[in-house]
Amino acid sequence: MTNRHDVKRYPGLKPLSLLFFLYLYAPLAVIVVYSFNDNRIAGVWTHFSLKWYGSALNNAALMGALKTSLLVAAIATTVATTVALMAALAIVRGRNLRFRKLSEAVVNLPLLLPEIVLAVATLILFSLLGIQNGLLKLVIAHSAFCTPFAFLPIRARLQGMSLDFEEAAADLYASRWTGFRRVTLPLIFPGLFSGAMLAFLISMDDFITSNMLSSGGTTTLPVYIFSLIRAGTSPELNAIASLLILASLILATVALVVGTRGGRDKI
């Protein structure tokens, strides 16, 4: 059994951890601080100002890219989470499923391949199929590579859930759908929610696939931000990044709260 005083055996661990987190989060802190800089030169501080946030929120091109990203992420998250849920139920709860390990490997395949390979393959496939709609291409591609990210938390929740309640529902003559809706789904909801949030963030963050598949009118937010970086950094870019950091923190907090409550109720 590990003693809490065993950490004293590694006297350099605490300073090393502090340096690691400082290295990890210091750039984010710099971005947030300089997003409030009144000077147009990003690295020269003059005085506090909120004008770059107003400039970012009034940027029509930026708002259009944000709407595209939100729309694609919302649809892709819904599709990916639904597919991941069905795959997890079939793999974990399926009794007669052959090639279980192979099926799980197929679902997780996008995690094992470099994204650039998937992006090129998807681009070639859409060219062969003659799909020209930029929004449709983004939704299909994002749904595909977001599925394993949604699958992992759902599978973990199912594997850690007792079968007693499902069997009790069956003993009380509940149909499979009723047992799933009234018993299984509430118990795995924290994993389902975590998978959906992870898929949503992955979709919002994606650049490589979106850059290859986006066309006129379907520019996503990461692609738009990259176009701004090529023109040089500006406080407006810092403001956009700070808003994204805030949104990510809110989503992470919500996911943590849901996961914590689900852990207390875990059976």
Side-chain angles (χ1 to χ4, degrees), residues 240-252:
I240 297 171
S242 299
L243 292 174
L244 290 176
I245 293 172
L246 177 61
S248 299
L249 289 175
I250 293 174
L251 288 176

Side-chain angles (χ1 to χ4, degrees), residues 21 27 33 36 61 71-72 76 78 87 112 132 137 152-153 161 172 191 199 223-224 226-227 249 256:
F21 285 109
V33 169
F36 298 104
L71 179 60
V72 171
T78 302
L112 306 176
Q132 302 295 330
K137 290 191 293 185
L152 293 176
M161 193 187 81
L172 294 173
V223 176
Y224 178 78
F226 180 73
S227 68
L249 289 175
L256 180 63

Side-chain angles (χ1 to χ4, degrees), residues 41-59:
I41 301 177
V44 179
W45 179 269
T46 52
H47 59 269
F48 182 88
S49 175
L50 294 173
K51 70 177 184 179
W52 299 113
Y53 285 90
S55 175
L57 294 176
N58 290 324
N59 188 324

Side-chain angles (χ1 to χ4, degrees), residues 37-86:
N37 182 21
D38 183 71
N39 198 328
R40 175 170 289 277
I41 301 177
V44 179
W45 179 269
T46 52
H47 59 269
F48 182 88
S49 175
L50 294 173
K51 70 177 184 179
W52 299 113
Y53 285 90
S55 175
L57 294 176
N58 290 324
N59 188 324
L62 170 63
M63 289 297 103
L66 177 60
K67 291 178 181 178
T68 299
S69 287
L70 289 174
L71 179 60
V72 171
I75 299 174
T77 298
T78 302
V79 175
T81 305
T82 302
V83 173
L85 175 60
M86 293 188 293

Side-chain angles (χ1 to χ4, degrees), residues 91 99-109 151 155:
I91 292 173
F99 310 113
R100 188 184 303 272
K101 292 295 184 181
L102 178 61
S103 300
E104 190 171 342
V106 170
V107 175
N108 291 325
L109 187 60
F151 171 77
R155 183 201 59 183

